[in-house]
Amino acid sequence: MTTPRLRKLAIGLGGTVVVLLIVMALVPLLFKGRIETAARGAINDAVNAEVAWQDIGLTVFRNFPNLTLSIDELTVVGTGTFAGDTLASIDQLRLVLDLPSVVANWRRGAPLLVRELVLLEPALRLLVQEDGVANWDIMRESKQAAATDTASALAVSLRQFRIENGSVTIDDRAAGLTSSVTGYDQTLSGDFGSERFLLKTSASAEAVSVRFAGIPYLSRVGMAIEADLDADMAERRFTFRDNKLRLNDLELAFAGSIGLDSSRTMLDLTFEAPSTDFRHIISLIPAIYAQDFAAIETSGTMALGGRLNGVHSETEFPAFALRATVSDGSFKYPDLPLAARDIGLDLSLDNAGGSLDRTVLDLSRFHALIGSNPIDATLRLSTPVSDPDVALTLAGKVDLAEVRRTMKLDGVEDLAGVISADAAIATRLSSLDRGQFDQVNARGTIDIRNFTLTSADFPHAIVIDETLLRLTPRLTELAAFRGRIGGSDMAMTGTLDNLLRFVMRGEPLHGRAAFRSVKFDLNEWQSSDDTLSIIPVPANLDLVLDAEIATLVWERLNLTDVAGTIRVKDQRVTMDDLRMKGLGGTLAMTGYYETVDPARPTFDATMQLTELQIPAAFQALTTIQRFAPIAEFARGTFSAQLGIQGALGEQMMPILSALSGQGALQTSQVAVEGFPALDALAGKLKLPQFTNPTFRAIQSTFAIRDGRLHVQPFDVELGEFKLNVSGSNGIDQSLEYALRLQAPSGLIGAEAGQAISGMLTQAGKVGLNLGAADLMQVGLALGGTVAKPTIGIGTGGPVGGARDAIGQAAAGQVRSLERQADAGAEAARQRARAEADSLVADAERRAEAIRAEARQVAERVRAEGAQAADSLVAKASGPIAKAGAEVAAKRLRREADTRATQIEREADERAEALVSAARRGVAGEP
């Protein structure tokens, strides 16, 4: 009796569990679409930004019985001024929603309750432009009231808030402030449903950096925070109880409170370092903290404290102060022979409140003894935002060999040299901006001698034999520079126009110098990246170099007598009429090389190549190897005008499939030996003249696109033989060419005549006696690959079909028939005349096809020229660069139009010649 009842009970319970599981599985499906639709609508109404996500998930199993809402790959991208800039990206946002509140919200619009919020790998990129416009100001003003109404319907009972592996970057260009936080984790917990509760927070970051007005206050410092705050939600005030902030080895304790209202933050905080041990403050120096810091022996005392009080809002700024002092400091690594001694510092940072611009930094004393050499410095900075007023003094000498015996330097294998400084600067940046040099006090020198650095970060040793900088009110003079990197020597003299603005504002360093080198090896500058080896162009430079390089090495190129103007700006190297000798001739280049995207450098160049040796060019240039394979078998010289654009890949080699360009080629007499295509032609037609021939000078035009070299029709002459060539070949070495061979019939032997007649017969072209023609002309198709070419009768393309191609031979037959016919052979004359008319009509159709194709090519050349010109202008920045780009763009358009007109004119001449020849042939004219 018991067993059936238990069985029924088990079945009932099992059924209930199954039903519950089905309900739990179906509930997310019922609400997911509603929640996603509501979220999209609310977001679109609330913000001026593009908000997107990869997927929304909803489940009851993760935090039963509550719903867990997850949003994957959430991004917020700016619009308008900040179009395309990513403000925020979150790998996953996860909300735990109270299930009864979700059901109540669905049924009658009751408030939703949020139990937990988790952000996985959030990344914020906050930007303020020079005019004060911020990229996070994305809320729609017209929707503020609606947003307030919506917020009132959303009750939050938050138990925990977590961030895992977050990052934040701040670039406030209006204030001259940059900051970054990486590897940020935080846990925030408390009963947010209560009016008063204990708020506990724990946070850490792998690296924190802060730079303000050109001065680094923190650099890659590790941070950890543990704090308990009394939270009064009715008053919206948080009071510090137990707390600890650690920056590397330095600990700070806070006291005071933070109050919040709708748009203002009230601050009343003090902080101080409980310990007075000098070692704690030097832990903020990355180079010292990173190397066996626990083993460092230290002595000396320090004091650090400050305050922050007042109101912070869009129009208000709190007052703050910081004091730091160091006395009799020293540190020594136990396994290094020298100690840094007699370290002293007095630093104050004050702001009376109201504006960040009221900040005053005063480093009244800094002194240190490294080895036997003292270093002394002072710095005072005020009005850092509106008009930095700076006074700096620096005096002392540093023997870098003694530095290496005092400090452990990561990756440094060798360091030597002496740096001496005795310099002072006192000015407002506005005086420099306005050129009021009588209000600028700048004097002194910075001298570097016998500097050597060998490091794992650089593939070659860096040597500076001499550097001398002289400070003057107007500019910084580079009076001398001599050095080497690996096998590349360098010498420069010149000026830097804005060294202080470069340091204080982060403006591109602007200057001009004369650059000289006996040998400069670009191969030594390539990066050691496993997947890409490129020469990166440094950012934040605006330098003009008047260069003279006796020998320039790049890949397999050895160029000499290099001279021209080179500009480095916006991660682009621009070459203006750069001339050089190499490959047996001369080269001239105008264009640029750019590494804005370091994974895909780009270039755009116009080149004039004069009398280069074909074998040398083939050996040195991959582009010629792939696009002009005949050069491997040719001997002679060539000249070319070439405009080419594209991207560079591994080892700075052009990505051939992405190249585009156009140009013209002229050669001297060219000897070709062992070229498989000509060998195949000679064998197929039984014409030994095409085995290892020597052609007369050649002229042609070409275009590069879609991984192929497209050649416009051109003639090559071999004695009385003439070969017209047009078509294309690809970087895959495939051949698609149409050939027209023309030769006096008397030079065609019986064996060759039989071979040609046999080919025509196989192609279905019978009834014509080639031997009766004075001039033989036959169309051929060259296909296959460079290594395995194929030869056949042409069936179309630029030189027309087999019927067109033997027009001259057929015309000779007409003349022969007419000579043989007498007055009584009227039928024979009519047949001859009909065939003659047909030949002329065929010639006219072919002529029109030549003109049509030429027009298409010409239009493409003009379009590519216009595109290159527009790109050049678009990438230029600043009025001077814009003006220069406009001039260069006009030249590009003019050159493209000239090339296009030439293509059309040559095609028209060929078409006219083709029709005229057909008409003369049928008329019996020579």
Side-chain angles (χ1 to χ4, degrees):
M1 295 295 292
T2 304
T3 302
R5 290 179 179 177
L6 291 175
R7 184 180 299 112
K8 290 180 180 179
L9 179 61
I11 292 172
L13 289 175
T16 302
V17 170
V18 170
V19 170
L20 286 175
L21 289 174
I22 292 173
V23 169
M24 286 189 293
L26 289 177
V27 165
L29 296 177
L30 292 173
F31 293 109
K32 175 181 176 181
R34 180 182 177 91
I35 292 174
E36 186 166 6
T37 301
R40 288 188 187 276
I43 290 171
N44 290 331
D45 288 341
V47 301
N48 284 311
E50 296 178 1
V51 181
W53 52 79
Q54 184 68 30
D55 187 33
I56 285 186
L58 196 61
T59 179
V60 296
F61 296 105
R62 179 186 287 271
N63 293 282
F64 182 81
N66 297 313
L67 284 176
T68 300
L69 172 67
S70 60
I71 304 176
D72 296 331
E73 298 182 32
L74 175 66
T75 58
V76 181
V77 179
T79 58
T81 303
F82 300 100
D85 292 343
T86 301
L87 166 62
S89 63
I90 303 174
D91 188 64
Q92 186 181 74
L93 183 151
R94 193 160 64 231
L95 289 169
V96 179
L97 305 172
D98 181 81
L99 180 59
S101 75
V102 172
V103 175
N105 176 268
W106 177 61
R107 294 182 61 185
R108 60 181 185 275
L112 282 171
L113 300 181
V114 180
R115 298 293 184 182
E116 183 183 47
L117 173 60
V118 181
L119 304 180
L120 301 180
E121 298 189 21
L124 298 180
R125 303 168 185 87
L126 308 179
L127 172 65
V128 182
Q129 293 182 327
E130 289 83 351
D131 57 5
V133 177
N135 71 337
W136 66 81
D137 186 12
I138 60 175
M139 300 303 296
R140 295 183 187 270
E141 294 183 6
S142 61
K143 300 296 182 179
Q144 285 181 347
T148 302
D149 294 339
T150 301
S152 65
L154 180 64
V156 179
S157 179
L158 184 64
R159 293 294 180 267
Q160 183 167 274
F161 171 69
R162 286 190 293 119
I163 295 175
E164 295 183 12
N165 194 27
S167 65
V168 181
T169 60
I170 300 173
D171 183 4
D172 190 338
R173 297 171 186 175
L177 172 68
T178 59
S179 178
S180 66
V181 179
T182 59
Y184 183 72
D185 297 325
Q186 180 176 13
T187 299
L188 186 70
S189 61
D191 185 2
F192 283 81
S194 302
E195 285 196 353
R196 302 197 65 165
F197 63 94
L198 180 64
L199 175 63
K200 300 178 73 67
T201 183
S202 174
S204 65
E206 294 179 358
V208 178
S209 298
V210 178
R211 186 181 185 91
F212 175 52
I215 298 172
Y217 289 87
L218 296 176
S219 179
R220 303 187 308 280
V221 171
M223 179 193 73
I225 300 173
E226 298 288 341
D228 293 344
L229 296 93
D230 288 324
D232 186 341
M233 300 306 293
E235 296 293 331
R236 301 187 69 185
R237 180 173 296 277
F238 303 87
T239 304
F240 281 93
R241 186 190 286 183
D242 298 324
N243 63 87
K244 180 173 64 177
L245 168 64
R246 181 178 57 79
L247 300 173
N248 281 354
D249 214 44
L250 175 67
E251 288 190 3
L252 297 174
F254 283 80
S257 64
I258 301 173
L260 305 173
D261 65 17
S262 59
S263 60
R264 306 165 79 225
T265 302
M266 283 68 73
L267 302 164
D268 186 7
L269 300 173
T270 61
F271 62 91
E272 65 176 356
S275 173
T276 60
D277 193 334
F278 170 66
R279 72 179 290 110
H280 295 152
I281 200 167
I282 65 169
S283 74
L284 300 183
I285 303 174
I288 296 176
Y289 188 73
Q291 295 289 330
D292 300 332
F293 184 75
I296 292 179
E297 303 166 0
T298 65
S299 64
T301 61
M302 69 98 183
L304 178 65
R307 59 178 172 80
L308 177 63
N309 63 283
V311 177
H312 183 270
S313 69
E314 290 187 0
T315 59
E316 299 166 291
F317 194 82
F320 64 83
L322 179 145
R323 298 286 184 274
T325 62
V326 173
S327 299
D328 301 321
S330 71
F331 68 87
K332 182 181 183 302
Y333 290 90
D335 52 347
L336 292 180
L338 297 181
R341 299 170 288 127
D342 198 20
I343 300 172
L345 175 146
D346 287 303
L347 173 69
S348 67
L349 190 66
D350 289 283
N351 187 298
S355 168
L356 190 61
D357 199 34
R358 300 185 71 180
T359 303
V360 177
L361 169 71
D362 187 5
L363 176 64
S364 59
R365 180 178 71 97
F366 174 80
H367 176 81
L369 196 64
I370 307 295
S372 57
N373 297 304
I375 306 168
D376 291 278
T378 65
L379 172 64
R380 181 178 175 82
L381 173 68
S382 60
T383 58
V385 177
S386 62
D387 184 14
D389 186 354
V390 61
L392 168 69
T393 66
L394 179 64
K397 182 167 70 173
V398 177
D399 186 330
L400 296 176
E402 292 183 339
V403 171
R404 181 133 193 266
R405 288 183 286 166
T406 302
M407 294 178 58
K408 292 187 175 182
L409 303 174
D410 188 25
V412 174
E413 301 168 6
D414 187 27
L415 181 66
V418 176
I419 301 175
S420 303
D422 183 6
I425 298 174
T427 184
R428 285 185 176 274
L429 281 191
S430 59
S431 299
L432 294 173
D433 293 339
R434 292 192 296 263
Q436 296 172 333
F437 299 111
D438 58 323
Q439 300 179 23
V440 178
N441 180 14
R443 60 165 182 80
T445 60
I446 300 174
D447 192 4
I448 304 174
R449 302 278 173 171
N450 303 318
F451 173 89
T452 300
L453 171 62
T454 303
S455 169
D457 295 331
F458 301 99
H460 302 280
I462 299 174
V463 177
I464 300 176
D465 300 315
E466 174 189 18
T467 296
L468 179 60
L469 285 173
R470 291 196 183 101
L471 303 185
T472 71
R474 184 177 295 273
L475 45 78
T476 302
E477 179 188 0
L478 179 62
F481 175 86
R482 291 185 297 109
R484 301 183 302 281
I485 296 181
S488 302
D489 66 282
M490 295 168 283
M492 283 189 291
T493 58
T495 59
L496 299 174
D497 298 342
N498 66 335
L499 182 60
L500 194 58
R501 295 196 295 273
F502 168 72
V503 174
M504 300 296 296
R505 290 180 178 167
E507 295 181 8
L509 182 61
H510 179 71
R512 185 161 195 143
F515 179 90
R516 304 289 181 269
S517 176
V518 176
K519 180 181 179 181
F520 201 84
D521 190 346
L522 283 172
N523 296 330
E524 296 179 342
W525 289 65
Q526 293 179 348
S527 66
S528 57
D529 189 283
D530 292 336
T531 58
L532 185 68
S533 183
I534 67 166
I535 300 173
V537 181
N540 225 25
L541 293 180
D542 184 2
L543 302 177
V544 177
L545 302 178
D546 298 310
E548 291 185 7
I549 305 172
T551 301
L552 177 66
V553 180
W554 178 29
E555 294 297 329
R556 289 162 291 183
L557 276 174
N558 281 274
L559 305 170
T560 62
D561 298 336
V562 180
T565 301
I566 301 173
R567 182 168 189 174
V568 181
K569 183 181 180 182
D570 298 331
Q571 293 183 273
R572 174 189 289 189
V573 176
T574 301
M575 295 151 285
D576 185 10
D577 197 25
L578 191 66
R579 296 180 176 273
M580 61 205 78
K581 296 178 181 178
L583 304 177
T586 61
L587 304 88
M589 178 185 302
T590 295
Y592 68 81
Y593 161 74
E594 180 178 82
T595 59
V596 173
D597 180 359
R600 190 179 174 88
T602 59
F603 67 93
D604 190 333
T606 300
M607 291 178 282
Q608 177 71 49
L609 314 177
T610 306
E611 296 297 323
L612 303 190
Q613 293 290 333
I614 295 175
F618 179 85
Q619 291 297 324
L621 302 176
T622 301
T623 304
I624 291 181
Q625 294 172 10
R626 301 299 294 274
F627 281 112
I630 191 175
E632 180 181 5
F633 309 93
R635 301 292 181 271
T637 63
F638 75 96
S639 299
Q641 302 83 42
L642 174 63
I644 191 167
Q645 309 85 38
L648 300 178
E650 188 175 355
Q651 301 299 320
M652 286 195 68
M653 289 294 99
I655 300 174
L656 300 178
S657 59
L659 284 183
S660 63
Q662 53 282 319
L665 174 75
Q666 306 89 39
T667 75
S668 64
Q669 181 172 282
V670 177
V672 181
E673 184 175 348
F675 185 43
L678 289 178
D679 289 346
L681 180 65
K684 192 75 172 179
L685 302 183
K686 308 301 182 184
L687 293 173
Q689 293 90 336
F690 285 93
T691 300
N692 301 334
T694 297
F695 295 110
R696 297 174 187 169
I698 299 170
Q699 290 188 343
S700 70
T701 59
F702 59 88
I704 298 173
R705 60 181 182 275
D706 303 325
R708 300 191 71 81
L709 176 74
H710 298 264
V711 178
Q712 295 304 305
F714 69 95
D715 292 328
V716 293
E717 295 183 0
L718 177 62
E720 294 188 60
F721 285 84
K722 180 182 290 186
L723 190 66
N724 182 271
V725 181
S726 65
S728 69
N729 56 270
I731 57 176
D732 59 357
Q733 302 294 280
S734 63
L735 303 174
E736 294 179 5
Y737 278 95
L739 312 177
R740 186 177 68 237
L741 176 63
Q742 178 179 298
S745 298
L747 295 180
I748 302 298
E751 188 177 12
Q754 292 175 2
I756 295 170
S757 296
M759 291 175 66
L760 291 171
T761 300
Q762 292 174 9
K765 306 299 179 182
V766 296
L768 296 173
N769 180 11
L770 293 174
D774 295 332
L775 185 67
M776 185 218 66
Q777 184 168 301
V778 61
L780 302 166
L782 172 62
T785 65
V786 173
K788 295 182 177 180
T790 62
I791 303 291
I793 287 294
T795 58
V799 297
R803 182 181 178 90
D804 292 332
I806 61 172
Q808 291 293 342
Q813 282 189 261
V814 172
R815 292 194 297 272
S816 177
L817 289 171
E818 290 179 340
R819 283 194 299 268
Q820 295 172 10
D822 57 14
E826 185 63 29
R829 290 192 183 92
Q830 289 177 356
R831 287 194 300 272
R833 180 55 56 194
E835 179 140 11
D837 291 342
S838 176
L839 290 172
V840 172
D842 286 341
E844 289 174 342
R845 284 193 295 272
R846 175 62 198 135
E848 183 54 36
I850 291 173
R851 292 188 180 99
E853 182 173 353
R855 284 195 296 270
Q856 291 178 357
V857 174
E859 289 173 3
R860 195 157 48 239
V861 169
R862 290 190 179 98
E864 290 171 351
Q867 182 180 2
D870 293 341
S871 174
L872 188 65
V873 174
K875 291 178 180 178
S877 60
I880 296 177
K882 283 282 187 185
E886 289 287 357
V887 173
K890 288 180 181 178
R891 185 176 68 247
L892 285 175
R893 293 188 182 97
R894 186 170 57 251
E895 291 175 350
D897 187 65
T898 299
R899 288 194 297 271
T901 302
Q902 180 183 0
I903 291 170
E904 291 172 330
R905 184 174 58 252
E906 291 177 352
D908 193 61
E909 291 173 354
R910 290 193 58 255
E912 286 293 339
L914 181 64
V915 174
S916 297
R919 286 173 177 163
R920 288 196 304 270
V922 299
E925 299 175 3

